[in-house]
Amino acid sequence: MKVLSAGFVKSALRPEQYPRDGRPEIAFVGRSNVGKSTMLNILLNKKGLAKTSKTPGKTQTVNFFDVNGNVYFVDLPGYGYAKVGKSLREEWAKVLTSYLTSQRPLRLVVALVDSRHKPAGQDFDMLELLEQAQVPTLIVATKADKQRPNELAESLCDIRKTLDIDSDALLVPFSALTKAGLRDIWNVVDDALRTKTGKR
Ligand code: GDP
């Protein structure tokens, strides 16, 4: 897809506040600081459009971005602040679950993990919730530029093993600095937008 226009639409606290016009959605989720807003801004070609809050305890909203007037990119709340307690973890799971179970026209979830770290804790919670919801998922390993090619290849293997994902499941390394992986991500997004999944 060529992005001709992109803009922030709204932050929703509850499902009743989600847009109701039935446009297909591509959602993005991952640990705070994983590079989610950087990636969204690159995909949407607009610096500063998606912003991260580095403040633990901040209210967790679902943020909708209009793309070309016919698709929504959905920025789901981040997770995994070191200092965050159980209640915020539960709040995050609640927000994610209510989005995933709201019968959205959701075509794909892009789940971000840091290519340098073994997935842990809430990364598993995230993937479990996605699996339960049976949504097509693309896993993106971010900050690929921070490793040498052989280290990166090893990390990707590790991520596959740790997350127990099939060798044919989609795992794309991405770098915001070199833009490596950007084309692959767009290919999957474009395919997802073309394919109407039977479930939703
Ligand atoms: P978010 O909390 O997931 O939205 O993370 P941000 O997009 O705010 O990124 C967190 C930090 O990682 C920022 O300092 C970014 O500049 C940096 N970052 C994001 N993507 C990359 C990348 O691909 N390579 C490198 N080297 N740094 C990145």
Side-chain angles (χ1 to χ4, degrees):
M1 174 176 29
K2 190 166 165 51
V3 176
L4 301 173
S5 66
F8 173 74
V9 178
K10 59 152 69 176
S11 288
L13 276 168
R14 292 182 303 280
E16 306 86 81
Q17 299 167 329
Y18 298 162
R20 290 160 177 264
D21 50 11
R23 294 184 202 172
E25 293 176 2
I26 306 286
F28 297 80
V29 64
R31 176 185 292 266
S32 301
N33 212 42
V34 74
K36 180 160 55 75
S37 26
T38 305
M39 192 177 92
L40 270 167
N41 290 331
I42 289 174
L43 288 169
L44 298 180
N45 227 344
K46 246 188 188 174
K47 272 191 190 149
L49 186 59
K51 297 186 187 85
T52 19
S53 166
K54 304 277 182 264
T55 326
K58 170 130 191 337
T59 316
Q60 304 203 304
T61 54
V62 175
N63 301 318
F64 290 84
F65 295 90
D66 163 79
V67 188
N68 292 350
N70 53 23
V71 174
Y72 288 117
F73 275 19
V74 184
D75 185 10
L76 296 168
Y79 55 84
Y81 291 109
K83 290 190 200 118
V84 151
K86 196 168 159 226
S87 64
L88 206 66
R89 276 208 308 277
E90 282 171 358
E91 169 68 16
W92 168 82
K94 212 171 84 189
V95 174
L96 183 60
T97 307
S98 49
Y99 173 76
L100 292 173
T101 56
S102 294
Q103 301 293 315
R104 307 299 300 166
L106 177 60
R107 296 293 173 78
L108 177 75
V109 176
V110 181
L112 286 75
V113 294
D114 191 315
S115 60
R116 298 164 303 168
H117 306 304
K118 268 203 171 166
Q122 274 175 281
D123 293 326
F124 292 109
D125 298 348
M126 161 180 82
L127 288 161
E128 199 177 309
L129 292 175
L130 295 177
E131 208 166 290
Q132 277 167 17
Q134 292 189 283
V135 297
T137 301
L138 164 67
I139 300 173
V140 170
T142 60
K143 308 192 185 182
D145 55 273
K146 293 213 176 194
Q147 286 178 305
R148 299 199 179 125
N150 59 335
E151 290 170 337
L152 177 64
E154 226 169 87
S155 300
L156 294 177
C157 267
D158 255 8
I159 291 172
R160 270 190 196 282
K161 259 190 229 148
T162 315
L163 295 178
D164 194 20
I165 48 180
D166 308 337
S167 53
D168 58 345
L170 293 170
L171 171 64
V172 172
F174 172 71
S175 163
L177 295 190
T178 68
K179 310 286 193 295
L182 185 59
R183 185 62 3 236
D184 297 322
I185 295 170
W186 269 123
N187 286 341
V188 179
V189 169
D190 285 340
D191 272 355
L193 288 171
R194 268 193 295 270
T195 325
K196 262 200 165 168
T197 52
K199 265 199 67 73
R200 283 161 190 273

